[in-house]
Amino acid sequence: QVTLKESGPVLVKPTETLTLTCTVSGFSLSNARMGVSWIRQPPGKALEWLAHIFSNDEKSYSTSLKSRLTISKDTSKSQVVLTMTNMDPVDTATYYCARIVAAAGTGFFDYWGQGTLVTVSS
Amino acid sequence: QSVLTQPPSVSAAPGQKVTISCSGSSSNIGNNYVSWYQQLPGTAPKLLIYDNNKRPSGIPDRFSGSKSGTSATLGITGLQTGDEADYYCGTWDSSLSAGGVFGGGTKLTVL
């Protein structure tokens, strides 16, 4: 069965760089039409899409966070990594990775990880 | 401020029907399919509806979706207390970074 699991630090200091890893199973990161997104949710607030990467290495980033984000994948390890630089307390959130199924005009997140809460505090 | 607009909350009695709206623009809903997600308290979102009106395996037909122009609607019939959750609409946006966009979420209360 398809699973995704996020891992990374639970606490980071302001100005530090956050590195999160999403380890997937039940599908390959080389599958056509499939990719992985990172999505975050501050406590009590809405979902916010951050970035995605597809099997052909196509990447896209949130316009507002583009300068701080880098997404990459290691297909052999079934992992997708997101780095976010210059962390701030407003970046405190639960970070999810989710599988994307995409085609022309459509794209949806059919499987989600359990999420990992990252707190930014000195 | 979310790109897609949803009502903050809706409520209805058990057994009743409720609809949740999602409003966007031509760069997102107007030219892309819409999906809906259910987030029960303390859990990750779960896909409810994709491609405007399709249900993944295991989602009961009490849940339905529709789209018209730049708006979409989620309908839930035969409300159950277990349906109390936050509901989010989502789609792709062509004008920004060609990435995903979500609504602000709607809290459903089953009275």
Side-chain angles (χ1 to χ4, degrees):
Chain A
Q1 89 265 26
V2 173
T3 64
L4 300 94
K5 186 174 176 63
E6 305 88 352
S7 58
V10 296
L11 179 66
V12 297
K13 291 181 169 52
T15 76
E16 288 186 339
T17 294
L18 171 68
T19 299
L20 294 172
T21 300
C22 177
T23 303
V24 309
S25 64
F27 73 101
S28 171
L29 294 175
S30 61
N31 282 7
R33 293 186 62 226
M34 289 184 182
V36 172
S37 262
W38 284 95
I39 296 156
R40 71 179 180 179
Q41 185 174 37
K45 295 189 177 181
L47 302 171
E48 179 186 16
W49 175 83
L50 299 177
H52 70 227
I53 188 165
F54 282 99
S55 57
N56 60 358
D57 216 39
E58 172 198 334
K59 303 168 189 174
S60 188
Y61 298 98
S62 164
T63 301
S64 61
L65 295 168
K66 187 172 185 175
S67 63
R68 300 173 53 204
L69 296 174
T70 303
I71 192 169
S72 62
K73 66 181 174 70
D74 186 329
T75 302
S76 65
K77 293 183 178 179
S78 294
Q79 291 180 334
V80 174
V81 176
L82 181 77
T83 62
M84 181 180 291
T85 61
N86 195 25
M87 292 292 285
D88 183 272
V90 300
D91 296 313
T92 294
T94 296
Y95 287 75
Y96 296 100
C97 59
R99 188 176 81 166
I100 313 164
V101 176
T106 186
F108 54 90
F109 309 102
D110 63 343
Y111 288 92
W112 296 64
Q114 63 189 22
T116 184
L117 175 60
V118 177
T119 300
V120 184
S121 174
S122 54
Chain B
Q1 195 81 353
S2 301
V3 174
L4 307 179
T5 301
Q6 297 180 235
S9 63
V10 296
S11 62
Q16 297 299 303
K17 173 183 176 178
V18 71
T19 60
I20 298 172
S21 61
C22 175
S23 177
S25 67
S26 58
S27 67
N28 43 65
I29 292 179
N31 282 286
N32 292 287
Y33 288 95
V34 176
S35 51
W36 289 90
Y37 304 87
Q38 177 193 59
Q39 187 175 33
L40 296 168
T43 68
K46 172 185 173 182
L47 178 65
L48 269 186
I49 298 288
Y50 67 98
D51 288 357
N52 299 336
N53 55 19
K54 297 176 183 174
R55 284 175 286 106
S57 173
I59 301 299
D61 59 7
R62 299 188 299 108
F63 296 90
S64 63
S66 64
K67 176 187 137 176
S68 178
T70 59
S71 294
T73 301
L74 173 70
I76 311 173
T77 60
L79 277 172
Q80 302 173 2
T81 56
D83 296 331
E84 278 210 347
D86 293 322
Y87 292 84
Y88 293 89
C89 57
T91 188
W92 239 235
D93 196 295
S94 310
S95 72
L96 301 173
S97 51
V101 289
F102 291 100
T106 299
K107 169 66 177 175
L108 168 63
T109 301
V110 181
L111 303 167

mmCIF file of all heavy atoms in Angstrom, chain A residues 22-51:
data_model
loop_
_atom_site.group_PDB
_atom_site.id
_atom_site.type_symbol
_atom_site.label_atom_id
_atom_site.label_comp_id
_atom_site.label_asym_id
_atom_site.label_seq_id
_atom_site.Cartn_x
_atom_site.Cartn_y
_atom_site.Cartn_z
ATOM 1 N N CYS A 22 10.843 13.191 3.037
ATOM 2 C CA CYS A 22 9.630 12.399 2.841
ATOM 3 C C CYS A 22 10.052 11.065 2.249
ATOM 4 O O CYS A 22 10.588 11.023 1.132
ATOM 5 C CB CYS A 22 8.674 13.122 1.902
ATOM 6 S SG CYS A 22 7.171 12.205 1.503
ATOM 7 N N THR A 23 9.815 9.989 2.983
ATOM 8 C CA THR A 23 10.142 8.656 2.495
ATOM 9 C C THR A 23 8.853 7.973 2.060
ATOM 10 O O THR A 23 7.902 7.879 2.847
ATOM 11 C CB THR A 23 10.833 7.836 3.590
ATOM 12 O OG1 THR A 23 12.012 8.536 4.025
ATOM 13 C CG2 THR A 23 11.233 6.458 3.060
ATOM 14 N N VAL A 24 8.833 7.535 0.803
ATOM 15 C CA VAL A 24 7.617 6.961 0.254
ATOM 16 C C VAL A 24 7.774 5.464 0.053
ATOM 17 O O VAL A 24 8.885 4.946 -0.101
ATOM 18 C CB VAL A 24 7.229 7.644 -1.080
ATOM 19 C CG1 VAL A 24 7.217 9.153 -0.922
ATOM 20 C CG2 VAL A 24 8.148 7.221 -2.208
ATOM 21 N N SER A 25 6.650 4.771 0.055
ATOM 22 C CA SER A 25 6.641 3.350 -0.269
ATOM 23 C C SER A 25 5.338 3.020 -0.957
ATOM 24 O O SER A 25 4.360 3.766 -0.844
ATOM 25 C CB SER A 25 6.814 2.507 0.991
ATOM 26 O OG SER A 25 5.723 2.685 1.869
ATOM 27 N N GLY A 26 5.329 1.929 -1.684
ATOM 28 C CA GLY A 26 4.139 1.514 -2.399
ATOM 29 C C GLY A 26 4.027 2.100 -3.798
ATOM 30 O O GLY A 26 3.095 1.771 -4.533
ATOM 31 N N PHE A 27 4.934 2.989 -4.160
ATOM 32 C CA PHE A 27 5.018 3.510 -5.518
ATOM 33 C C PHE A 27 6.434 4.022 -5.735
ATOM 34 O O PHE A 27 7.180 4.237 -4.777
ATOM 35 C CB PHE A 27 3.985 4.605 -5.780
ATOM 36 C CG PHE A 27 4.272 5.933 -5.109
ATOM 37 C CD1 PHE A 27 4.817 6.989 -5.833
ATOM 38 C CD2 PHE A 27 3.988 6.119 -3.766
ATOM 39 C CE1 PHE A 27 5.072 8.205 -5.219
ATOM 40 C CE2 PHE A 27 4.238 7.329 -3.139
ATOM 41 C CZ PHE A 27 4.793 8.370 -3.871
ATOM 42 N N SER A 28 6.774 4.234 -6.990
ATOM 43 C CA SER A 28 8.108 4.702 -7.323
ATOM 44 C C SER A 28 8.086 6.176 -7.709
ATOM 45 O O SER A 28 7.148 6.646 -8.362
ATOM 46 C CB SER A 28 8.684 3.893 -8.490
ATOM 47 O OG SER A 28 9.885 4.466 -8.954
ATOM 48 N N LEU A 29 9.113 6.892 -7.310
ATOM 49 C CA LEU A 29 9.225 8.308 -7.685
ATOM 50 C C LEU A 29 9.519 8.478 -9.173
ATOM 51 O O LEU A 29 9.558 9.606 -9.668
ATOM 52 C CB LEU A 29 10.322 8.983 -6.857
ATOM 53 C CG LEU A 29 10.033 9.081 -5.354
ATOM 54 C CD1 LEU A 29 11.239 9.669 -4.616
ATOM 55 C CD2 LEU A 29 8.789 9.917 -5.073
ATOM 56 N N SER A 30 9.696 7.366 -9.886
ATOM 57 C CA SER A 30 9.900 7.437 -11.330
ATOM 58 C C SER A 30 8.604 7.185 -12.100
ATOM 59 O O SER A 30 8.610 7.207 -13.330
ATOM 60 C CB SER A 30 10.968 6.425 -11.769
ATOM 61 O OG SER A 30 10.553 5.113 -11.463
ATOM 62 N N ASN A 31 7.497 6.936 -11.378
ATOM 63 C CA ASN A 31 6.207 6.729 -12.051
ATOM 64 C C ASN A 31 5.769 7.983 -12.788
ATOM 65 O O ASN A 31 5.732 9.069 -12.212
ATOM 66 C CB ASN A 31 5.125 6.367 -11.030
ATOM 67 C CG ASN A 31 5.197 4.939 -10.575
ATOM 68 O OD1 ASN A 31 6.126 4.229 -10.916
ATOM 69 N ND2 ASN A 31 4.212 4.508 -9.804
ATOM 70 N N ALA A 32 5.393 7.810 -14.037
ATOM 71 C CA ALA A 32 4.884 8.947 -14.810
ATOM 72 C C ALA A 32 3.577 9.439 -14.183
ATOM 73 O O ALA A 32 2.844 8.669 -13.577
ATOM 74 C CB ALA A 32 4.653 8.530 -16.258
ATOM 75 N N ARG A 33 3.284 10.704 -14.335
ATOM 76 C CA ARG A 33 2.065 11.347 -13.838
ATOM 77 C C ARG A 33 1.994 11.463 -12.330
ATOM 78 O O ARG A 33 0.993 11.895 -11.773
ATOM 79 C CB ARG A 33 0.796 10.628 -14.316
ATOM 80 C CG ARG A 33 0.528 10.703 -15.789
ATOM 81 C CD ARG A 33 -0.821 10.086 -16.091
ATOM 82 N NE ARG A 33 -1.898 10.819 -15.412
ATOM 83 C CZ ARG A 33 -2.868 10.224 -14.742
ATOM 84 N NH1 ARG A 33 -2.907 8.930 -14.631
ATOM 85 N NH2 ARG A 33 -3.817 10.945 -14.157
ATOM 86 N N MET A 34 3.056 11.046 -11.665
ATOM 87 C CA MET A 34 3.043 11.138 -10.211
ATOM 88 C C MET A 34 4.184 11.989 -9.706
ATOM 89 O O MET A 34 5.266 12.023 -10.293
ATOM 90 C CB MET A 34 3.104 9.750 -9.582
ATOM 91 C CG MET A 34 1.831 8.988 -9.756
ATOM 92 S SD MET A 34 1.885 7.411 -8.926
ATOM 93 C CE MET A 34 0.273 6.777 -9.406
ATOM 94 N N GLY A 35 3.897 12.677 -8.619
ATOM 95 C CA GLY A 35 4.927 13.481 -7.992
ATOM 96 C C GLY A 35 4.671 13.547 -6.503
ATOM 97 O O GLY A 35 3.776 12.877 -5.976
ATOM 98 N N VAL A 36 5.444 14.370 -5.847
ATOM 99 C CA VAL A 36 5.295 14.587 -4.400
ATOM 100 C C VAL A 36 5.311 16.081 -4.125
ATOM 101 O O VAL A 36 6.135 16.824 -4.665
ATOM 102 C CB VAL A 36 6.423 13.893 -3.614
ATOM 103 C CG1 VAL A 36 6.376 14.297 -2.137
ATOM 104 C CG2 VAL A 36 6.299 12.377 -3.742
ATOM 105 N N SER A 37 4.373 16.497 -3.324
ATOM 106 C CA SER A 37 4.294 17.896 -2.889
ATOM 107 C C SER A 37 4.590 17.999 -1.400
ATOM 108 O O SER A 37 4.366 17.053 -0.645
ATOM 109 C CB SER A 37 2.886 18.446 -3.110
ATOM 110 O OG SER A 37 2.775 19.173 -4.294
ATOM 111 N N TRP A 38 5.041 19.187 -0.997
ATOM 112 C CA TRP A 38 5.092 19.554 0.402
ATOM 113 C C TRP A 38 4.021 20.608 0.644
ATOM 114 O O TRP A 38 3.876 21.555 -0.138
ATOM 115 C CB TRP A 38 6.465 20.100 0.785
ATOM 116 C CG TRP A 38 7.498 19.023 0.925
ATOM 117 C CD1 TRP A 38 8.387 18.601 -0.025
ATOM 118 C CD2 TRP A 38 7.749 18.229 2.088
ATOM 119 N NE1 TRP A 38 9.165 17.592 0.480
ATOM 120 C CE2 TRP A 38 8.806 17.342 1.775
ATOM 121 C CE3 TRP A 38 7.200 18.177 3.371
ATOM 122 C CZ2 TRP A 38 9.310 16.420 2.693
ATOM 123 C CZ3 TRP A 38 7.698 17.264 4.279
ATOM 124 C CH2 TRP A 38 8.739 16.412 3.942
ATOM 125 N N ILE A 39 3.292 20.420 1.722
ATOM 126 C CA ILE A 39 2.175 21.287 2.102
ATOM 127 C C ILE A 39 2.296 21.533 3.593
ATOM 128 O O ILE A 39 2.621 20.608 4.346
ATOM 129 C CB ILE A 39 0.838 20.588 1.772
ATOM 130 C CG1 ILE A 39 0.706 20.382 0.259
ATOM 131 C CG2 ILE A 39 -0.350 21.387 2.315
ATOM 132 C CD1 ILE A 39 -0.221 19.256 -0.143
ATOM 133 N N ARG A 40 2.055 22.761 4.035
ATOM 134 C CA ARG A 40 2.148 23.001 5.466
ATOM 135 C C ARG A 40 0.861 23.590 6.012
ATOM 136 O O ARG A 40 0.021 24.086 5.265
ATOM 137 C CB ARG A 40 3.321 23.928 5.802
ATOM 138 C CG ARG A 40 3.136 25.364 5.383
ATOM 139 C CD ARG A 40 4.353 26.205 5.794
ATOM 140 N NE ARG A 40 4.216 27.592 5.397
ATOM 141 C CZ ARG A 40 5.120 28.534 5.648
ATOM 142 N NH1 ARG A 40 6.250 28.224 6.298
ATOM 143 N NH2 ARG A 40 4.922 29.783 5.254
ATOM 144 N N GLN A 41 0.726 23.524 7.335
ATOM 145 C CA GLN A 41 -0.480 24.011 8.000
ATOM 146 C C GLN A 41 -0.108 24.586 9.355
ATOM 147 O O GLN A 41 0.148 23.827 10.306
ATOM 148 C CB GLN A 41 -1.499 22.880 8.161
ATOM 149 C CG GLN A 41 -2.823 23.308 8.741
ATOM 150 C CD GLN A 41 -3.835 22.174 8.742
ATOM 151 O OE1 GLN A 41 -3.485 21.016 8.969
ATOM 152 N NE2 GLN A 41 -5.090 22.507 8.461
ATOM 153 N N PRO A 42 -0.058 25.903 9.471
ATOM 154 C CA PRO A 42 0.188 26.499 10.799
ATOM 155 C C PRO A 42 -0.919 26.094 11.752
ATOM 156 O O PRO A 42 -2.048 25.818 11.324
ATOM 157 C CB PRO A 42 0.153 28.002 10.508
ATOM 158 C CG PRO A 42 0.428 28.122 9.045
ATOM 159 C CD PRO A 42 -0.195 26.910 8.433
ATOM 160 N N PRO A 43 -0.637 26.059 13.044
ATOM 161 C CA PRO A 43 -1.662 25.647 14.021
ATOM 162 C C PRO A 43 -2.950 26.444 13.869
ATOM 163 O O PRO A 43 -2.945 27.673 13.879
ATOM 164 C CB PRO A 43 -0.986 25.922 15.364
ATOM 165 C CG PRO A 43 0.473 25.839 15.082
ATOM 166 C CD PRO A 43 0.638 26.366 13.687
ATOM 167 N N GLY A 44 -4.050 25.734 13.696
ATOM 168 C CA GLY A 44 -5.356 26.367 13.585
ATOM 169 C C GLY A 44 -5.621 27.091 12.277
ATOM 170 O O GLY A 44 -6.629 27.789 12.151
ATOM 171 N N LYS A 45 -4.726 26.935 11.311
ATOM 172 C CA LYS A 45 -4.892 27.669 10.051
ATOM 173 C C LYS A 45 -5.036 26.716 8.868
ATOM 174 O O LYS A 45 -5.091 25.501 9.021
ATOM 175 C CB LYS A 45 -3.708 28.611 9.849
ATOM 176 C CG LYS A 45 -3.641 29.710 10.912
ATOM 177 C CD LYS A 45 -2.611 30.756 10.574
ATOM 178 C CE LYS A 45 -2.619 31.877 11.603
ATOM 179 N NZ LYS A 45 -1.631 32.938 11.295
ATOM 180 N N ALA A 46 -5.078 27.299 7.681
ATOM 181 C CA ALA A 46 -5.384 26.538 6.469
ATOM 182 C C ALA A 46 -4.131 25.881 5.884
ATOM 183 O O ALA A 46 -2.991 26.187 6.245
ATOM 184 C CB ALA A 46 -6.019 27.464 5.437
ATOM 185 N N LEU A 47 -4.386 24.981 4.944
ATOM 186 C CA LEU A 47 -3.316 24.339 4.197
ATOM 187 C C LEU A 47 -2.666 25.341 3.255
ATOM 188 O O LEU A 47 -3.333 26.195 2.667
ATOM 189 C CB LEU A 47 -3.879 23.177 3.376
ATOM 190 C CG LEU A 47 -4.598 22.069 4.153
ATOM 191 C CD1 LEU A 47 -5.280 21.110 3.175
ATOM 192 C CD2 LEU A 47 -3.626 21.327 5.047
ATOM 193 N N GLU A 48 -1.353 25.194 3.108
ATOM 194 C CA GLU A 48 -0.597 26.043 2.177
ATOM 195 C C GLU A 48 0.344 25.153 1.375
ATOM 196 O O GLU A 48 1.223 24.504 1.933
ATOM 197 C CB GLU A 48 0.205 27.103 2.939
ATOM 198 C CG GLU A 48 1.041 28.001 2.032
ATOM 199 C CD GLU A 48 1.935 28.961 2.792
ATOM 200 O OE1 GLU A 48 2.167 28.773 3.998
ATOM 201 O OE2 GLU A 48 2.438 29.923 2.166
ATOM 202 N N TRP A 49 0.168 25.145 0.040
ATOM 203 C CA TRP A 49 1.052 24.379 -0.836
ATOM 204 C C TRP A 49 2.409 25.070 -0.910
ATOM 205 O O TRP A 49 2.477 26.293 -1.043
ATOM 206 C CB TRP A 49 0.424 24.288 -2.222
ATOM 207 C CG TRP A 49 1.298 23.618 -3.236
ATOM 208 C CD1 TRP A 49 1.447 22.295 -3.450
ATOM 209 C CD2 TRP A 49 2.155 24.274 -4.170
ATOM 210 N NE1 TRP A 49 2.352 22.069 -4.465
ATOM 211 C CE2 TRP A 49 2.802 23.266 -4.922
ATOM 212 C CE3 TRP A 49 2.446 25.608 -4.449
ATOM 213 C CZ2 TRP A 49 3.710 23.547 -5.937
ATOM 214 C CZ3 TRP A 49 3.353 25.899 -5.465
ATOM 215 C CH2 TRP A 49 3.981 24.868 -6.187
ATOM 216 N N LEU A 50 3.474 24.278 -0.827
ATOM 217 C CA LEU A 50 4.828 24.840 -0.827
ATOM 218 C C LEU A 50 5.593 24.547 -2.115
ATOM 219 O O LEU A 50 6.215 25.439 -2.703
ATOM 220 C CB LEU A 50 5.628 24.290 0.353
ATOM 221 C CG LEU A 50 5.097 24.585 1.749
ATOM 222 C CD1 LEU A 50 5.972 23.909 2.790
ATOM 223 C CD2 LEU A 50 5.005 26.074 1.993
ATOM 224 N N ALA A 51 5.606 23.285 -2.520
ATOM 225 C CA ALA A 51 6.439 22.905 -3.658
ATOM 226 C C ALA A 51 6.050 21.518 -4.128
ATOM 227 O O ALA A 51 5.400 20.758 -3.404
ATOM 228 C CB ALA A 51 7.916 22.917 -3.270
#
